[in-house]
Amino acid sequence: MTAIAERPARSRARNRRVAGADPDKRHQILEGAHAVFTARGFDASSMADIAAAANVSKGTLYVYFEDKEHLFVALIEREREKQKQGIYEALADIPDLAQALSRFGERLVRLITGGFALSAQRIVLGVAERMPELGREFYERGPMQGTRRLAAFLQRRAELGELSIEDPALAASQFIDLCQSTLTRPRLFNAVPMPPDDEEIARVVASAVAMFLAHYAVKRPG
């Protein structure tokens, strides 16, 4: 009797799904959304288009995401997490300051000038005026988070006596902007259709590191 009672209970537990909690279905929807947003842009895409691309019903789509805006934010977050793996590792794993900054800058620029990151930025800029909460969320979870992580690193290196920095957040923003010089803006406006190669990224970032350390590095006697 006990075995018979346990079997249906195990079956119910195995089959029970919280609405919108199936990771495979969520992945399927996000893949469809990625294809549609990349091909058509945010405004021209509809939930019906995404449902068709993901091969799910509109009803299923709305179980997972209440509207197109929340779906887009979720997609950005997924892609950011996939692509920023390793960017911050340089700040924790490389003892040499100049080398850590170089590695961080190169990986960051490679991410920022990539196709999806630029498409997402163009879409957000296009809708931020009428949907400021979307623009704010994109900024806070992306550029602001990156600046804070770098600022914390710079603060630690300042406490070790390697840097003289009064405002780590400002210094972090300056370094990130220096690393993108001549690379990001032409890509953003599609004046340059292809991402910069590793050699060009290394050249620009090396210049950024040299300028940054020339101003902020503590000068050692001799």
Side-chain angles (χ1 to χ4, degrees):
M1 181 67 179
T2 302
I4 294 174
E6 286 178 352
R7 220 170 13 244
R10 284 198 301 268
S11 178
R12 286 194 300 271
R14 190 165 51 245
N15 294 328
R16 186 167 54 238
R17 288 285 189 182
V18 177
D22 183 344
D24 293 334
K25 187 66 67 177
R26 179 181 173 88
H27 174 78
Q28 182 179 338
I29 291 170
L30 289 174
E31 287 295 305
H34 184 282
V36 172
F37 284 137
T38 300
R40 304 187 183 186
F42 180 83
D43 283 331
S45 301
S46 69
M47 292 291 268
D49 296 329
I50 294 167
N55 197 28
V56 299
S57 68
K58 284 184 68 176
T60 298
L61 188 58
Y62 281 109
V63 166
Y64 284 80
F65 300 101
E66 60 184 277
D67 51 38
K68 185 171 68 171
E69 289 76 17
H70 285 82
L71 175 52
F72 180 65
V73 169
L75 178 62
I76 291 174
E77 284 306 300
R78 186 193 73 161
E79 294 301 311
R80 275 180 177 159
E81 289 304 315
K82 281 169 43 179
Q83 296 183 39
K84 74 182 182 183
Q85 295 299 322
I87 289 180
Y88 300 117
E89 290 176 1
L91 302 181
D93 297 343
I94 300 177
D96 182 77
L97 176 59
Q99 187 180 356
L101 289 173
S102 296
R103 191 70 56 82
F104 170 84
E106 290 171 6
R107 293 175 179 179
L108 180 67
V109 171
R110 202 169 289 120
L111 168 63
I112 291 173
T113 57
F116 177 80
L118 285 171
S119 294
Q121 189 170 344
R122 292 179 188 126
I123 290 170
V124 171
L125 289 174
V127 302
E129 186 171 349
R130 59 186 175 82
M131 290 190 294
E133 68 286 350
L134 185 64
R136 183 174 59 253
E137 190 168 359
F138 178 89
Y139 174 74
E140 290 176 350
R141 294 188 180 184
M144 180 183 286
Q145 183 185 105
T147 300
R148 286 176 174 171
R149 294 282 292 271
L150 180 58
F153 167 80
L154 297 176
Q155 179 64 44
R156 291 194 299 272
R157 303 309 282 254
E159 292 169 356
L160 292 172
E162 296 178 86
L163 298 170
S164 177
I165 295 178
E166 294 182 2
D167 188 341
L170 174 60
S173 294
Q174 290 170 334
F175 179 72
I176 290 172
D177 287 345
L178 284 171
C179 288
Q180 299 179 69
S181 296
T182 73
L183 299 178
T184 300
R185 190 170 296 176
R187 288 279 291 142
L188 180 63
F189 290 99
N190 212 24
V192 176
M194 298 299 294
D197 59 30
D198 289 347
E199 183 178 353
E200 180 65 6
I201 291 174
R203 185 184 72 85
V204 173
V205 171
S207 177
V209 172
M211 293 179 68
F212 184 82
L213 294 180
H215 183 71
Y216 286 116
V218 172
K219 306 301 186 291
R220 304 292 185 185

